[in-house]
Amino acid sequence: MQSSTRMRVAAVAALLGLFAVLTGPGGAHADEAPPTSTETTTVGDVTGFRADGAVYRLSAGQAEARVSFVTEETFRIELAPDGTFTDPTGDDIVLPQGKPPRTRWKDRGDRYELSTDEVTLRAYKEPLRFALHRADGSRVWSEAKGLSWTGGRTVQTLARGAGEQFYGAGMQNGRGNTSHRDKTVEVAVDYNWDDGGHPNSVPFYLSSAGYGVFRNTYAPNTYAFTDPVTTSAEERRFDAYYFAGDGDDGAKDVIGQYTDLTGKPFLPPVYGMEVGDADCYLHNANRGERRTLDSLKVADGYVENDMPNGWMLVNDGYGCGYEDLEETAQGLKDRKMELGLWTEDGIENLAAQVKAGQRVAKLDVAWVGEGYKFALDGCKDAYQGIEDNSDARGFTWAPESWAGAQRCGVQWSGDQSGTWEYIRWQIPTYAGATMSGLAYTTGDIDGIFGGSAKTYTRDLQWKMFLGTTMTMDGWAAMDKQPFRYGEPYTSINRDYLKLKESLLPYQYSYAHEATKSGVGMVRPLVLEYPDDPKASTEAAKYQFLSGEHFLVAPVYQDTTERKDIYLPEGTWIDYWSGRTYEGPTTIDTYGAPLDTLPLFVKAGAAVPMWPGIRSYRDRTADSPLAWDVYPQGDTSFTLYEDDGVTREHRDGEYATQRADVRAPERGAGNVSVTINESRGSFTGKQVERPYEFTVHTGSAPRKVKLDRTLPELTSKSAYEKARQGWWYDRDDRGGVVHVKTAPLSTAKKFTVKLLGTSAVGGKKASAAAALTVPAGQEAGAGTPGTVLVDVTAGSSGLTDTTVSLQVPEGWRTATAKVPGRIPAGATRRVEVALTPAKDADVRETTLTALARYRAGGDDRTSQQRLAVSVLPPPPEGEAWASDLGWLSETNGYGPAERDRSNGESGASDGKTLTLAGTTYEKGIGTHADSDIALHLGGRCTAFTADVGIDDEINGYGEVAFSVEGDGEVLWTSPKLTGASATLPVDVKLDGVRQVRLKVTDTNGSKTGDHADWAAAKFHCA
């Protein structure tokens, strides 16, 4: 019997002692039994009123309400049913605030009006009921009835607007970046780290009506965004802060006010925004005995594979300690990494550990301890412990936290298993958490259990657009560093790790912005496009914005296509091909080979980058700063810089530098990029530096000027060798102007002018052709064939059209000439000759199709990546299925085994195949659900085998076998159990090109489903 969850047993056992204290209403009072009354009482009529500056008290019989204004737009409402106010949170969450605003009040007969210059809170008298209005009289929210309570629960009931949408409640796994309307969300610790769980909950929500609410409590909350809206906390007191948003950026303003109250997100060190690595080295039950210093060998893997990695957690795992700490810390520093430790045993030794070199602290679920306060205290204490004992910034990770934790830690979604489903539900999770002021939320790359080469690669791609992330493998069947799976995965992972590294100036600038605004970089579409009716719906659920300029739509299925990508208003550019889209629009099908993350850039973007580095430590005094520019209209971006490591920025030691882009809104014209003087200073600031620009114009400029005309270079190699100059590459993503300068003073502004060019998309953007490629294309190793490419003309007809392929070394191809003219709007299918190398790997390979043509008076190029499956030679004669190359293989537990029964999670760890007492030398051992695909090329006439559940299962298990050919079911077995007789298989395969051998579970329990394809053989010509 096998289970992918069995490796959690140690973790679950360690938590059992905590459950008793966590079932009460907020751990701060876990030792006090709440009143047992379930009778609901609603607050009655106002019987008294008192005003004291910005604080107002209203009596309603025995109950007392208190209204306290914090700012012009932020205030607090408290209700004590027994007339005695309490605050279990004390000063844990809410930070000291400034002088309260000037307020005024009026008795309007049926109500009191409590006002600042911005808002008026109405307190109706019979019964006591609150409603918030703006200064212009417009209503923000109103209670449908008065506050109510039972023995251990308080409830607020609000009227719901006709189109009102709701967001927040912290990290809500699988949701949050689209509206909570008509849904109920829980705010509490539940230790459910999968889809539907709510780790790192925050008792805060915001509404599209322009307000937010923070329940100041440690008690569990439930928010039902039904009609009416009911929000409750498990305590016999009511305490909530309200925020009234301002203007078009209402949601951002509300998040800003909430984080003014509870703390702005911290600024991570730069290495904290590089990928991290976590594992258990000492006493690792899953890997055998290792020493802490063995972590340096893993660190060497990153260096040798030219992969960025900022820090390593060297003791992640229950019962996993450490040794040789100073030597380990120094060894990591020598490899441009920092040391992190796990805090399973508390933080009593943190001071000594930090002095020895620790710079990252990962808190575990044990730090939740006796309620939420303990978790928050652990986050703050670990953060402060790093700062008290070094000159570094505090940097912690937490799997369960509460309001206020954004100021001291990264919120991590917990222990999960690497699957396609894991990728799917994580996509909305982190952008949704931004709506609660959580600026750094993330999950392990491919989880800590299970996983595969493909799911690891796909998960890593999109997580490079989160602020923080790590890979963790102490519980998996194998180490899960990004270089473990071989090619093509290692190269793809390297490319994305380096892409994140190059984007650090962009991401770090947003990290700094979060310390001012409270708004994190990872954003749901609705935050930037609040008036877009689709932004709050399922249409935008599986995508997010990374800053304002990148739209990320991860692939979360085993496919080379991504369906239904929604692009909001504006011009969007495919990051890989340069193709432009005018939003709002939905891309029904986007070609996404394994190495391609669907990624779009908003026109007008100017993205600062560090080119060509593995670590931020590779930056030197003469390193270039690059700007990736997508010109459209007048736009700007402000780069933030400091030393990246110390806390000197808090004393003003930092610099900002703004890039201003001036370009036509559409079509032909001049483009200028002005880099203003860098303002401010910090240790290590560059006095001068060279600059590089990639300006996506789609049209070649007549000339490029700095203080004088820059030299035009004629090739990529000439450009790379030159000290300064420019080169237009028409084949680069639709046409890109590359510009480089000699070192320039950072104290002086300069302008690069591109004369006679255009905005992004070219002088006539609509004239660009679009390339699409039919899915499922195949090519045989060493076998001549063709690739199909569809060329669709834009608003102008195409002439002089050729289509070519960019292919790996050793492959052969020929440029295809398209005869005649392709009329505007018409599509022409083009066959391009292709012969893979004889020794080409049998796997999916990415090629790039390039169409060169003339349209709208310009010479243009369009491109598109495509996936081609390289097939093995078809089998000949009598061929054992276990000896052939498999096109793909999925299995219910571990890998499917060749000539062995299904074993543990490693390869070749099964036993001899045995069915009904007969042993077999050849065959395939699987575990339901299983699916193995093989290429036959139409050469085989039959497939034979003996099938059943392996004798090692001792009579249990229940499965069905099936054989599919070219998508058609050719044979299906009846249900077979461990007690069934062996079933012979003989399936005709005349003309079948591809066959799939499948095993499915039939009783809902995969226990013991060890299914054997014994003596599996193909009979071929």
Side-chain angles (χ1 to χ4, degrees):
M1 180 174 66
Q2 296 162 326
S3 169
S4 62
T5 62
R6 63 185 177 180
M7 300 181 76
R8 298 193 190 190
V9 171
V12 172
L15 296 176
L16 291 177
L18 302 179
F19 289 164
V21 297
L22 288 172
T23 54
H29 293 292
D31 57 342
E32 298 177 13
T36 58
S37 172
T38 58
E39 182 179 348
T40 298
T41 302
T42 300
V43 69
D45 297 346
V46 174
T47 57
F49 175 81
R50 283 172 288 170
D52 182 10
V55 179
Y56 301 88
R57 295 185 68 149
L58 300 100
S59 302
Q62 185 181 6
E64 289 276 337
R66 182 165 61 191
V67 177
S68 308
F69 283 89
V70 180
T71 71
E72 296 275 358
E73 296 170 313
T74 298
F75 59 90
R76 179 186 190 183
I77 297 178
E78 299 168 89
L79 178 76
D82 60 2
T84 302
F85 294 104
T86 60
D87 185 358
T89 68
D91 59 2
D92 295 341
I93 301 175
V94 174
L95 299 178
Q97 301 296 299
K99 183 179 178 180
R102 294 183 62 182
T103 65
R104 57 191 180 274
W105 66 274
K106 289 183 180 180
D107 186 341
R108 296 288 193 183
D110 67 330
R111 66 187 185 270
Y112 294 101
E113 291 188 349
L114 318 178
S115 301
T116 70
D117 289 342
E118 298 294 333
V119 298
T120 292
L121 180 66
R122 296 181 180 180
Y124 291 94
K125 298 179 181 179
E126 295 180 353
L128 175 58
R129 181 175 61 83
F130 294 103
L132 181 65
H133 292 250
R134 299 188 190 279
D136 62 6
S138 60
R139 189 177 69 183
V140 181
W141 58 260
S142 66
E143 291 183 326
K145 69 174 187 176
L147 296 167
S148 61
W149 62 88
T150 64
R153 183 170 178 257
T154 55
V155 180
Q156 184 175 44
T157 304
L158 299 178
R160 191 179 75 174
E164 191 174 2
Q165 309 296 331
F166 303 89
Y167 308 90
M171 185 183 286
Q172 297 283 326
N173 284 354
R175 55 211 188 282
N177 72 337
T178 52
S179 178
H180 291 316
R181 183 180 171 93
D182 293 324
K183 299 179 176 65
T184 297
V185 297
E186 300 293 338
V187 178
V189 172
D190 69 344
Y191 296 111
N192 178 2
W193 293 330
D194 293 318
D195 191 9
H198 39 88
N200 294 295
S201 291
V202 176
F204 165 83
Y205 69 91
L206 60 81
S207 161
S208 63
Y211 73 90
V213 184
F214 162 59
R215 293 289 281 264
N216 182 38
T217 180
Y218 282 129
N221 286 222
T222 300
Y223 304 150
F225 296 110
T226 48
D227 191 8
V229 174
T230 59
T231 62
S232 65
E234 300 300 315
E235 60 182 355
R236 198 171 180 268
R237 58 183 290 275
F238 181 87
D239 187 351
Y241 287 83
Y242 297 82
F243 316 96
D246 184 28
D248 294 335
D249 284 335
K252 291 182 181 179
D253 190 48
V254 168
I255 295 169
Q257 291 181 54
Y258 164 69
T259 52
D260 282 341
L261 188 76
T262 62
K264 294 299 185 195
F266 73 107
L267 181 63
V270 174
Y271 55 79
M273 298 185 72
E274 296 176 318
V275 73
D277 186 289
D279 202 350
C280 172
Y281 290 92
L282 195 64
H283 313 304
N284 188 327
N286 300 312
R287 299 285 188 279
E289 188 62 42
R290 296 193 295 189
R291 317 309 301 184
T292 304
L293 285 170
D294 288 337
S295 63
L296 301 182
K297 299 175 185 176
V298 173
D300 286 337
Y302 284 95
V303 176
E304 292 162 3
N305 284 280
D306 191 24
M307 288 183 167
N309 186 61
W311 51 277
M312 289 188 67
L313 205 70
V314 301
N315 69 328
D316 197 273
Y318 286 93
C320 181
Y322 59 84
E323 60 190 4
D324 302 315
L325 204 59
E326 289 189 24
E327 188 177 352
T328 302
Q330 186 58 52
L332 290 174
K333 282 184 179 295
D334 293 342
R335 292 158 175 82
K336 301 178 181 178
M337 304 173 199
E338 296 290 349
L339 171 70
L341 291 174
W342 190 59
T343 58
E344 177 202 1
D345 298 324
I347 57 174
E348 291 79 8
N349 299 321
L350 186 62
Q353 293 167 348
V354 172
K355 290 173 183 176
Q358 179 185 1
R359 294 295 180 268
V360 185
K362 178 172 171 283
L363 308 173
D364 199 71
V365 291
W367 268 108
V368 175
E370 296 180 358
Y372 311 109
K373 172 177 167 54
F374 204 81
L376 184 56
D377 285 347
C379 178
K380 292 187 289 188
D381 291 346
Y383 180 91
Q384 195 61 44
I386 292 173
E387 298 203 343
D388 286 346
N389 296 282
S390 73
D391 65 351
R393 303 173 198 173
F395 187 58
T396 74
W397 284 53
E400 296 285 358
S401 62
W402 199 245
Q406 73 273 1
R407 61 187 189 245
C408 59
V410 174
Q411 281 70 51
W412 166 68
S413 61
D415 298 342
Q416 293 101 16
S417 184
T419 62
W420 295 108
E421 269 294 282
Y422 170 62
I423 297 174
R424 180 194 63 78
W425 66 252
Q426 281 198 91
I427 299 166
T429 301
Y430 307 127
T434 299
M435 301 297 266
S436 298
L438 301 180
Y440 306 100
T441 54
T442 191
D444 302 321
I445 297 169
D446 205 34
I448 69 168
F449 309 105
S452 68
K454 272 191 178 181
T455 55
Y456 189 99
T457 296
R458 284 296 197 192
D459 202 33
L460 181 144
Q461 289 173 358
W462 71 274
K463 284 180 175 168
M464 296 301 97
F465 287 84
L466 304 179
T468 52
T469 195
M470 70 173 172
T471 185
M472 178 177 172
D473 53 28
W475 300 82
M478 62 174 288
D479 286 332
K480 297 183 76 171
Q481 283 79 28
F483 48 81
R484 297 292 186 186
Y485 291 105
E487 295 299 340
Y489 311 103
T490 295
S491 291
I492 297 172
N493 294 338
R494 179 189 300 111
D495 288 345
Y496 280 91
L497 286 164
K498 284 197 159 186
L499 177 58
K500 178 176 177 61
E501 201 73 15
S502 69
L503 287 171
L504 279 177
Y506 174 84
Q507 296 188 355
Y508 195 61
S509 295
Y510 272 102
H512 173 257
E513 179 185 301
T515 69
K516 305 299 183 183
S517 68
V519 180
M521 178 183 71
V522 180
R523 305 174 178 186
L525 266 63
V526 74
L527 190 61
E528 297 294 339
Y529 301 91
D531 297 326
D532 188 322
K534 287 190 175 182
S536 63
T537 70
E538 295 288 310
K541 185 171 184 177
Y542 297 112
Q543 55 193 68
F544 63 92
L545 297 169
S546 186
E548 298 175 40
H549 305 293
F550 288 101
L551 188 148
V552 186
V555 176
Y556 54 91
Q557 296 171 317
D558 188 4
T559 178
T560 58
E561 296 179 331
R562 166 65 206 255
K563 302 288 187 182
D564 300 326
I565 300 173
Y566 179 69
L567 303 178
E569 182 182 8
T571 302
W572 295 90
I573 301 94
D574 184 325
Y575 187 77
W576 310 109
S577 71
R579 180 177 175 179
T580 61
Y581 297 84
E582 291 300 321
T585 189
T586 298
I587 302 174
D588 295 327
T589 302
Y590 178 93
L594 182 62
D595 66 350
T596 304
L597 168 72
L599 180 64
F600 302 85
V601 188
K602 183 73 176 288
V607 180
M609 303 179 76
W610 287 339
I613 60 171
R614 187 186 71 81
S615 167
Y616 81 93
R617 297 171 178 86
D618 293 336
R619 298 281 297 172
T620 64
D622 57 356
S623 292
L625 177 67
W627 288 90
D628 194 27
V629 180
Y630 299 78
Q632 186 184 79
D634 295 347
T635 57
S636 65
F637 186 90
T638 299
L639 169 71
Y640 171 86
E641 298 176 283
D642 61 27
D643 66 25
V645 177
T646 75
R647 304 187 296 275
E648 291 181 0
H649 66 287
R650 298 176 191 170
D651 297 322
E653 297 293 311
Y654 63 87
T656 59
Q657 188 176 33
R658 192 181 75 243
D660 295 322
V661 181
R662 302 289 179 263
E665 289 290 343
R666 292 283 189 278
N670 300 331
V671 173
S672 69
V673 183
T674 297
I675 305 300
N676 293 277
E677 67 274 17
S678 177
R679 298 182 176 180
S681 63
F682 58 91
T683 302
K685 178 182 175 179
Q686 290 176 289
V687 176
E688 63 175 19
R689 58 187 169 202
Y691 290 83
E692 298 177 3
F693 299 87
T694 46
V695 189
H696 299 252
T697 61
S699 296
R702 187 174 66 254
K703 64 175 63 175
V704 177
K705 299 178 69 174
L706 188 51
D707 54 347
R708 62 183 68 85
T709 300
L710 289 173
E712 180 181 1
L713 304 165
T714 58
S715 67
K716 182 177 181 179
S717 61
Y719 175 81
E720 290 174 344
K721 293 174 184 177
R723 188 164 183 259
Q724 67 178 14
W726 69 277
W727 171 56
Y728 178 71
D729 186 355
R730 66 174 285 193
D731 293 339
D732 183 4
R733 295 163 289 174
V736 176
V737 185
H738 296 261
V739 183
K740 63 165 58 173
T741 76
L744 299 172
S745 170
T746 56
K748 297 179 181 179
K749 78 173 183 178
F750 66 90
T751 299
V752 174
K753 297 179 180 179
L754 286 69
L755 305 180
T757 182
S758 65
V760 66
K763 294 176 181 176
K764 189 177 180 182
S766 63
L771 303 190
T772 53
V773 181
Q777 300 203 56
E778 300 174 342
T783 303
T786 58
V787 166
L788 304 179
V789 180
D790 292 334
V791 182
T792 301
S795 61
S796 300
L798 311 184
T799 59
D800 303 326
T801 306
T802 63
V803 181
S804 60
L805 298 174
Q806 296 176 346
V807 299
E809 186 177 352
W811 292 40
R812 299 194 307 277
T813 184
T815 299
K817 295 183 179 180
V818 180
R821 181 174 179 272
I822 303 178
T827 298
R828 185 76 57 84
R829 175 158 287 184
V830 181
E831 295 187 6
V832 186
L834 176 71
T835 304
K838 288 184 178 180
D839 59 351
D841 292 334
V842 177
R843 57 174 170 84
E844 175 192 307
T845 299
T846 300
L847 310 179
T848 299
L850 214 65
R852 304 181 106 220
Y853 54 92
R854 187 164 181 80
D858 257 349
D859 292 327
R860 306 203 56 162
T861 303
S862 297
Q863 61 182 278
Q864 177 63 46
R865 293 183 178 187
L866 64 138
V868 172
S869 295
V870 179
L871 305 178
E876 298 178 353
E878 304 289 298
W880 297 109
S882 57
D883 291 342
L884 299 177
W886 298 344
L887 298 179
S888 64
E889 173 255 319
T890 58
N891 202 51
Y893 188 84
E897 299 278 15
R898 298 175 186 266
D899 304 327
R900 297 172 183 266
S901 68
N902 188 86
E904 297 298 319
S905 55
S908 303
D909 58 5
K911 300 178 181 178
T912 302
L913 291 163
T914 308
L915 293 176
T918 301
T919 60
Y920 295 81
E921 291 186 6
K922 306 294 292 183
I924 303 172
T926 73
H927 190 297
D929 291 329
S930 176
D931 183 354
I932 299 170
L934 301 99
H935 173 61
L936 305 182
R939 296 282 300 275
C940 301
T941 58
F943 168 73
T944 58
D946 290 341
V947 299
I949 293 181
D950 198 279
D951 289 357
E952 67 189 3
I953 294 305
N954 296 323
Y956 55 94
E958 185 178 298
V959 301
F961 294 78
S962 62
V963 178
E964 294 182 7
D966 295 336
E968 179 183 351
V969 177
L970 304 178
W971 172 84
T972 300
S973 78
K975 294 178 182 178
L976 298 178
T977 72
S980 299
T982 301
L983 182 67
V985 182
D986 190 345
V987 181
K988 291 185 178 181
L989 297 175
D990 293 337
V992 170
R993 293 185 55 79
Q994 188 178 113
V995 72
R996 303 183 85 97
L997 307 180
K998 292 187 174 183
V999 179
T1000 55
D1001 168 70
T1002 56
N1003 64 356
S1005 171
K1006 293 182 172 58
T1007 300
D1009 288 347
H1010 286 216
D1012 295 345
W1013 297 90
K1017 180 184 290 187
F1018 292 98
H1019 306 269
C1020 311

